[in-house]
Amino acid sequence: KAGVTQTPRYLIKTRGQQVTLSCSPISGHRSVSWYQQTPGQGLQFLFEYFSETQRNKGNFPGRFSGRQFSNSRSEMNVSTLELGDSALYLCASSLGGTGSDYGYTFGSGTRLTVV
Amino acid sequence: GNSVTQMEGPVTLSEEAFLTINCTYTATGYPSLFWYVQYPGEGLQLLLKATKADDKGSNKGFEATYRKETTSFHLEKGSVQVSDSAVYFCALSVPYNTDKLIFGTGTRLQVFP
C-alpha cells in the first residue's frame, strides 16, 4: 500500500517567485492537510481539504493557497515568496469524515528554501 | 483554545534507560491524542494514539495513557535503544470540531550506547 507521496522533496526558490507543491494521499483517503514546520514556530496547520473543498484554514496570509482534485491529490501554492517561507512543508492524509480519530499519515515533506 | 505542552528537550539517555516524555493538553470537547515521531530528514510517523479517557496507546514498546483528570498523555518506554533517537511530538485533535492536529513543540531524544 503506497504511502503519502510529496513532490518535490527539495526546492530552492528566489524571493518574489511562486511555488507549487504536490501531495498524493493514500488511496481511499479523502482528507488532505498541509502543515508548515520551522525551527522557530514548530508545526503549524495551513489548511485541510476534504472532497475538493477547503474545510479548515489556519492563520496564514492569503499568499498560501491550496486545492484538491477529484482524485484527492492536493496542491499548495505560495506566491510572492519571502525568506520566512523557508520550511519543511508536510502533507497528511486521512480517511476524513467528521471525526479525526482515524489518525493522519504524513508524507516525507518538501523542503523549501527561499534565497 | 486547544493547546499542547511538552517538556523541553533534549532528553539524553543511555541505552536501556527508562524514558518519560511529559505531555499535557488543554482542549474543548473530547480530543483524540497522538504521539508522532520524526527521524532526521523525514516526515512524521504516527507512534500511537488514544481516542478516549483511560485508553492506553502502545506501539514498539512505547506506551501512553489518556488521563482526563490530569489532562495528560505522557509517553513512556521501559528500555530505550539508540535507534529511538528522534524528535517526539505530542498532538491532539478534536473530532467534530476543526479536525486539525495541534502539536506540541517536540522533544528531542538522544540515546547513547
Side-chain angles (χ1 to χ4, degrees):
Chain A
K1 185 178 182 182
V4 178
T5 304
Q6 290 189 248
T7 56
R9 284 297 306 274
Y10 302 93
L11 208 48
I12 301 176
K13 289 287 189 179
T14 304
R15 269 183 304 175
Q17 287 187 310
Q18 75 165 20
V19 66
T20 299
L21 312 182
S22 178
C23 172
S24 293
I26 290 173
S27 178
H29 283 196
R30 297 165 64 191
S31 167
V32 174
S33 302
W34 289 89
Y35 292 81
Q36 182 196 63
Q37 185 178 25
T38 60
Q41 299 299 316
L43 282 153
Q44 293 186 287
F45 172 76
L46 280 155
F47 28 64
E48 184 214 1
Y49 287 86
F50 179 77
S51 293
E52 301 179 65
T53 300
Q54 187 181 85
R55 189 161 65 170
N56 292 299
K57 189 176 190 304
N59 295 323
F60 278 81
R63 300 186 296 108
F64 292 82
S65 63
R67 59 178 176 170
Q68 186 180 34
F69 302 95
S70 58
N71 62 357
S72 293
R73 190 178 71 85
S74 177
E75 291 181 345
M76 69 163 281
N77 185 77
V78 188
S79 62
T80 319
L81 283 166
E82 301 177 0
L83 295 179
D85 297 333
S86 295
L88 179 66
Y89 290 88
L90 293 165
C91 165
S93 81
S94 169
L95 283 169
T98 54
S100 59
D101 59 345
Y102 303 112
Y104 300 81
T105 302
F106 281 81
S108 297
T110 294
R111 172 78 59 188
L112 171 65
T113 302
V114 182
V115 298
Chain B
N2 301 324
S3 65
V4 175
T5 302
Q6 279 183 247
M7 62 188 288
E8 292 278 338
V11 173
T12 304
L13 296 172
S14 297
E15 205 164 26
E16 299 184 3
F18 184 84
L19 168 71
T20 300
I21 300 178
N22 290 336
C23 171
T24 57
Y25 67 90
T26 301
T28 55
Y30 302 94
S32 295
L33 301 174
F34 306 85
W35 277 100
Y36 281 87
V37 58
Q38 186 174 36
Y39 298 99
E42 297 185 15
L44 300 173
Q45 297 178 23
L46 178 63
L47 184 58
L48 52 85
K49 67 176 183 179
T51 58
K52 61 182 187 295
D54 299 325
D55 267 2
K56 177 186 282 188
S58 61
N59 185 27
K60 300 180 181 179
F62 291 89
E63 293 183 340
T65 301
Y66 188 140
R67 301 285 188 200
K68 187 178 177 185
E69 63 276 12
T70 55
T71 62
S72 64
F73 193 55
H74 304 321
L75 182 67
E76 296 182 336
K77 186 175 186 183
S79 176
V80 294
Q81 305 300 311
V82 173
S83 58
D84 293 327
S85 298
V87 180
Y88 292 80
F89 292 91
C90 185
L92 69 82
S93 65
V94 182
Y96 307 100
N97 190 331
T98 64
D99 275 359
K100 66 181 182 183
L101 281 168
I102 296 168
F103 288 92
T105 53
T107 302
R108 180 175 299 279
L109 170 65
Q110 297 174 319
V111 181
F112 293 96

